[in-house]
Amino acid sequence: MTDALAHTGDWAVAFLLVLGALFFLVAAVGVVRLPDALTRMHAATKAGTLGAGLMLLAASLAAGDLGVSVRAGAIFLFLLVTAPIGAHVIGRTVWGRQQARRLMTRETPE
């Protein structure tokens, strides 16, 4: 019984790692393929944070130690707090530059 449970845990860890890697891949493709900085920023922050969370969950399950799980949870909370702040700063900078460019070239807003 214990051996079957350990085997199931290994499959769960593998599934979480593959799913996290897929979210990282989606984030990378979004950064390369999306048309402007604001949508690229959105792809990087949302999919990247979710991918990192899944990888951290897989690491904490694989370790099976409370200390590792607490550290992985703290890292994920740090990502949840800092990713939106960084995205907001980047977004405001991009938006400000677009507005300045429109004013300097006398473009009409779209």
Side-chain angles (χ1 to χ4, degrees):
M1 178 75 171
T2 306
D3 189 39
L5 186 61
H7 189 63
T8 305
D10 290 341
W11 279 104
V13 168
F15 176 74
L16 289 171
L17 286 173
V18 169
L19 195 61
L22 286 175
F23 273 102
F24 277 137
L25 180 65
V26 167
V29 168
V31 167
V32 171
R33 297 287 309 241
L34 290 173
D36 62 346
L38 296 176
T39 55
R40 287 191 294 259
M41 171 197 61
H42 182 76
T45 56
K46 302 298 180 198
T49 302
L50 184 57
L54 290 170
M55 294 268 187
L56 287 167
L57 181 61
S60 66
L61 285 177
D65 184 24
L66 182 63
V68 173
S69 297
V70 168
R71 284 190 291 265
I75 292 169
F76 185 63
L77 285 175
F78 181 75
L79 283 174
L80 283 177
V81 170
T82 58
I85 293 169
H88 179 74
V89 170
I90 292 169
R92 296 271 303 185
T93 303
V94 169
W95 186 81
R97 285 183 179 216
Q98 288 174 351
Q99 294 301 322
R101 189 177 309 125
R102 283 187 188 122
L103 288 173
M104 286 188 289
T105 60
R106 296 179 192 228
E107 291 179 11
T108 59
E110 298 171 7

